[in-house]
Amino acid sequence: MLRYRYLFEQMVRRELRQKYRGSALGVLWYVINPLVLMAAYGLMFGVLLKAVSIDDYLLFLLVGLTVWVFFAGSLLTAAGSLLDQGSLVGKMRFPRETVPAATVTVQLVTFAVLLVFVAPIAVAVRGTLDPALLLLVPIVACLYVFVLGLAMVVAILHAYFRDVAPILNAALLPWFFLTPILFRLEDLPGLREHTWAETLLQWVNPVTPFVEAMRAVLYSGRAPELGVLLYVPVAAAVAFLLGRAIFRRMEGELAVVL
Amino acid sequence: MRDPERAGAEAGLAPGEILLDHASRAFDVRGDQGRTLKDVVLRREGQGPEPVQALDEVSLHVAPGETVGMVGRNGAGKTSTLRVLSGIVPLDSGRALCGGRVISLLELGAGFGRDFTGRENIELNGALHGLLKHEVAERADAIVAFSELGDFIDSPVKTYSSGMMVRLGFSIAAHLDADTLLIDEVLAVGDVGFRRKCLRRISERIASGATLVFVSHDTAAIERVCERVVVLDGGRVTFDGPTAEGLLFYHRVMGTEQGDGESVRPPATRTLAVPEVSLLDADGHARGVFRTGDPVRLAFHVVASEPVAEPRLGLEVRDEEGRVIFRTETGLELERGEARLALDIARLGLLGGDYDLVVTARDAARDQPGADRVMSFSVASEPGAEGVVDLRGTWSARTAARVAS
């Protein structure tokens, strides 16, 4: 694995160059995207619908959206990544994991740039300069590893079955609304009658703990709850190991199916 | 057992050793299109065309340092063999093992970043071939120099012509120190001069002990670099032996294909062979490089395995592009089934360049396929004359008639 660190660096560099080629604003576009989403949702749910009463709602939204944009963007680009690199995979022998991993890492770069903007604003607006802020780094690292695992699964499945990307695309929108990004789980009145739904949204949806952990640190200025704090690294490890196992099991025929 | 390199290391193969053991691989023709879930759900047995057997029980052992040319018509399984050996495609059954580090060149420019400069692509490509950062850095200057791209090395690859891509791609591959080189047809493009240079570079790698498996339709190139030829047909090995005989067999097979009705004669039935050819200088030393005007002696050893009615020895000199620039033939007297003879050339009338000497022994009475032997030699270039043949004489001047004004 270490032997291919240099290859991985090179692949990421190539992806970055390809992604930002010919655009004057470059990485800024990827920062603007969640800001636009934040403004739209803020206007709809915070101002017009008055569905939520959360302090600094825009910032609340922005932290959740940042996580979601990284998560969804990574999976969508990873799904087509092996197909995009089909000729390379068919002509050269190198660890195939580096292809989806490079696309996720490029998403991580934009995610990091976004955090560089968001974190100081959050600290300034919410006064969240707390030792808990140090948890930001391990949480982001866990999120990265978690997404890496899922990305490997999505990428290899899509190489064999071309419906995977459309299915993923269709699933991501409802998934977004089932993730507490626009709201807090504890604010949902319906959940009191349906505790199974609360379990579902809180623990079965693996994105929820990551959103909550990020929000605890950045928006609330405190460490995440113990359950969330344990869930995040475990989810990352399980997703990564499982994803890698599935990838390795299926990668043999890649050069043939692409 | 998916990766031949790892399997080779586990089995304790020597660096550069290759082993294919009853290797078989079929390709589902429909598989190329990419399946959808619907296809999987609705798939029925026996639907669609039969899978194509790309490799059919292929067994092959290549010793370290051997140079193997692989020929056969399209779809014979040449590229599939290389893809299996390089670990890109797994086998259905059988084993594929490679010792040491294997570098495969299946397509030049595969994996180039189009927005990257030539220099950046050296790093990317080196990394894809499994090199570490410092390993690429050590080679970068030599690669740039070999490519002869000059200042273009710092321009994005998307501005390159295909010839420049070939230069860059091959220069990178030629500088990765592999124990085994697997090369597929990539030299078919590019200019002749650079192709020569590449072949020379490959020869150097082989001289330092590397194994080569070379797929090409360019039989002249195979003659030049390979000592052994494997002919594939329909995924099976139909010939495996010395290059001269192998190419002859291949040409016969291809000739039959075109319908001239000639039967394929296995090379084993041949009665004449030329086991030894040497180019000697005035002092009787074997040499590979001469100067224009040097005296040259060509010495031959011809052996007949059974009585031959009309033995003949033919000589052919070809230039860099494979054109025959000289051909001659002489009768032989075979005493006790063998003959040693020499041709003395008082003055070598060739100008600077690389040449091939093709030697053919045949039985004129039976029109039997002869044994071929190919030697390469070079003539050092000399100022004052260009071309192939030295026709320099003595200049003299006479007073020219004046043009009336």
Side-chain angles (χ1 to χ4, degrees):
Chain A
M1 209 61 181
L2 240 167
R3 171 137 199 108
Y4 286 97
R5 217 193 67 186
Y6 180 53
L7 167 64
F8 182 61
E9 261 174 55
Q10 291 293 325
M11 296 281 278
V12 171
R13 230 157 65 110
R14 186 174 78 150
E15 285 281 316
L16 275 173
R17 186 78 63 90
Q18 230 143 14
K19 190 170 174 184
Y20 300 127
R21 141 192 71 186
S23 75
L25 287 177
V27 71
L28 273 183
W29 284 119
Y30 297 89
V31 176
I32 290 170
N33 177 26
L35 290 177
V36 171
L37 284 178
M38 172 198 76
Y41 287 126
L43 183 70
M44 280 307 296
F45 295 99
V47 179
L48 301 181
L49 197 61
K50 290 195 186 298
V52 286
S53 55
I54 297 172
D55 296 339
D56 301 315
Y57 185 53
L58 285 182
L59 197 66
F60 176 91
L61 277 175
L62 188 57
V63 173
L65 281 170
T66 309
V67 174
W68 182 261
V69 165
F70 169 63
F71 171 76
S74 293
L75 291 195
L76 281 176
T77 51
S81 62
L82 284 169
L83 228 51
D84 291 343
Q85 302 295 335
S87 69
L88 183 58
V89 171
K91 301 289 185 209
M92 290 182 107
R93 188 180 63 100
F94 63 96
R96 277 73 171 93
E97 293 99 320
T98 50
V99 173
T103 62
V104 173
T105 307
V106 168
Q107 297 286 329
L108 181 73
V109 170
T110 43
F111 181 50
V113 170
L114 203 54
L115 282 182
V116 167
F117 278 85
V118 173
I121 296 173
V123 169
V125 173
R126 302 282 305 161
T128 53
L129 197 59
D130 187 274
L133 206 56
L134 291 173
L135 284 172
L136 188 63
V137 175
I139 291 170
V140 170
C142 285
L143 177 61
Y144 172 61
V145 173
F146 169 73
V147 171
L148 217 49
L150 294 190
M152 282 194 277
V153 176
V154 172
I156 196 92
L157 284 178
H158 185 64
Y160 284 88
F161 313 108
R162 304 291 153 82
D163 325 72
V164 171
I167 290 172
L168 178 71
N169 217 349
L172 279 173
L173 191 59
W175 196 345
F176 172 76
F177 286 104
L178 292 176
T179 306
I181 293 165
L182 304 174
F183 50 86
R184 283 185 296 230
L185 276 185
E186 53 265 39
D187 290 345
L188 297 183
L191 283 189
R192 262 161 243 140
E193 298 145 41
H194 307 284
T195 46
W196 59 270
E198 185 174 7
T199 320
L200 206 69
L201 295 191
Q202 173 72 58
W203 303 114
V204 178
N205 177 1
V207 187
T208 304
F210 285 98
V211 171
E212 290 188 335
M214 286 287 282
R215 211 152 48 201
V217 171
L218 277 179
Y219 174 83
S220 310
R222 55 168 174 81
E225 287 165 36
L226 189 64
V228 169
L229 211 51
L230 289 175
Y231 188 101
V232 163
V234 170
V238 169
F240 183 79
L241 294 176
L242 209 65
R244 200 177 58 169
I246 292 172
F247 194 93
R248 296 226 164 134
R249 181 159 282 250
M250 292 180 73
E251 72 179 337
E253 291 289 309
L254 261 185
V256 183
V257 296
L258 289 177
Chain B
M1 276 300 178
R2 194 160 51 225
D3 187 51
E5 212 174 87
R6 194 168 300 161
E10 279 163 15
L13 258 67
E17 194 176 357
I18 297 172
L19 184 69
L20 278 176
D21 178 20
H22 295 92
S24 293
R25 171 72 214 205
F27 290 111
D28 190 346
V29 184
R30 289 169 303 157
D32 314 322
Q33 260 68 51
R35 287 175 291 172
T36 62
L37 283 177
K38 191 177 144 207
D39 295 336
V40 175
V41 172
L42 298 180
R43 183 155 59 171
R44 283 188 297 263
E45 292 294 317
Q47 180 190 337
E50 285 281 292
V52 173
Q53 197 71 34
L55 291 185
D56 193 0
E57 298 269 318
V58 173
S59 291
L60 202 65
H61 179 254
V62 180
E66 262 195 293
T67 48
V68 181
M70 229 178 244
V71 292
R73 71 196 84 175
N74 289 331
K78 299 165 295 185
T79 300
S80 296
T81 307
L82 290 195
R83 298 221 296 169
V84 162
L85 286 176
S86 53
I88 293 170
V89 171
L91 288 173
D92 292 333
S93 65
R95 292 191 303 159
L97 299 92
C98 292
R101 183 193 269 182
V102 181
I103 298 267
S104 59
L105 236 87
L106 303 187
E107 188 181 288
L108 287 178
F112 274 4
R114 291 185 42 79
D115 296 293
F116 273 19
T117 67
R119 205 179 286 279
E120 288 168 324
N121 269 304
I122 292 175
E123 295 181 31
L124 174 62
N125 227 257
L128 279 167
H129 276 116
L131 261 64
L132 300 176
K133 188 171 190 160
H134 70 94
E135 290 174 319
V136 175
E138 284 161 14
R139 289 164 175 78
D141 288 341
I143 293 172
V144 172
F146 189 90
S147 72
E148 297 167 1
L149 283 168
D151 294 342
F152 286 104
I153 200 71
D154 293 311
S155 305
V157 159
K158 64 181 170 196
T159 65
Y160 281 21
S161 69
S162 60
M164 290 162 76
M165 292 274 230
V166 172
R167 279 175 176 274
L168 182 62
F170 191 85
S171 302
I172 296 168
H175 288 79
L176 310 164
D177 304 322
D179 298 306
T180 302
L181 271 167
L182 308 172
I183 301 182
D184 186 10
E185 205 62 271
V186 286
L187 292 174
V189 275
D191 56 286
V192 177
F194 190 71
R195 199 152 74 207
R196 275 259 155 188
K197 192 174 167 182
C198 294
L199 289 176
R200 215 171 296 141
R201 172 79 198 182
I202 293 175
S203 308
E204 281 170 28
R205 293 287 316 135
I206 293 157
S208 60
T211 304
L212 172 73
V213 179
F214 184 34
V215 165
S216 183
H217 287 109
D218 180 4
T219 48
I222 287 191
E223 268 177 338
R224 195 169 298 118
V225 288
C226 302
E227 59 198 15
R228 172 177 168 192
V229 159
V230 171
V231 183
L232 287 172
D233 194 21
R236 288 170 179 273
V237 176
T238 53
F239 178 92
D240 183 359
T243 298
E245 295 177 16
L247 290 182
L248 214 62
F249 177 80
Y250 170 64
H251 285 310
R252 298 233 148 218
V253 176
M254 296 302 275
T256 318
E257 271 283 288
Q258 286 151 15
D260 66 359
E262 207 171 8
S263 68
V264 179
R265 220 181 321 231
T269 65
R270 281 219 324 272
T271 52
L272 278 173
V274 188
E276 202 185 319
V277 177
S278 37
L279 281 87
L280 308 170
D281 64 9
D283 302 323
H285 297 305
R287 268 166 55 175
V289 184
F290 295 88
R291 284 183 184 287
T292 305
D294 276 356
V296 179
R297 163 175 271 229
L298 308 179
F300 308 94
H301 183 202
V302 186
V303 178
S305 55
E306 58 185 71
V308 181
E310 270 185 71
R312 293 270 173 88
L313 183 70
L315 294 185
E316 221 173 71
V317 177
R318 296 186 192 163
D319 70 1
E320 293 179 9
E321 275 138 74
R323 278 185 307 232
V324 177
I325 52 172
F326 175 71
R327 180 185 282 142
T328 189
E329 199 176 55
T330 182
L332 290 175
E333 278 177 34
L334 289 165
E335 287 170 22
R336 292 193 319 277
E338 63 175 329
R340 284 182 185 275
L341 65 161
L343 172 68
D344 280 303
I345 300 165
R347 203 184 153 277
L348 184 63
L350 293 173
L351 289 176
D354 298 315
Y355 299 92
D356 289 325
L357 175 68
V358 183
V359 184
T360 311
R362 66 185 190 98
D363 184 353
R366 289 162 63 185
D367 191 31
Q368 207 175 340
D372 285 347
R373 193 136 201 112
V374 183
M375 298 267 304
S376 291
F377 65 97
S378 302
V379 179
S381 51
E382 208 169 305
E386 277 177 54
V388 179
V389 187
D390 184 19
L391 296 176
R392 282 175 298 178
T394 322
W395 291 100
S396 61
R398 276 217 257 161
T399 314
R402 281 212 179 170
V403 181
S405 54

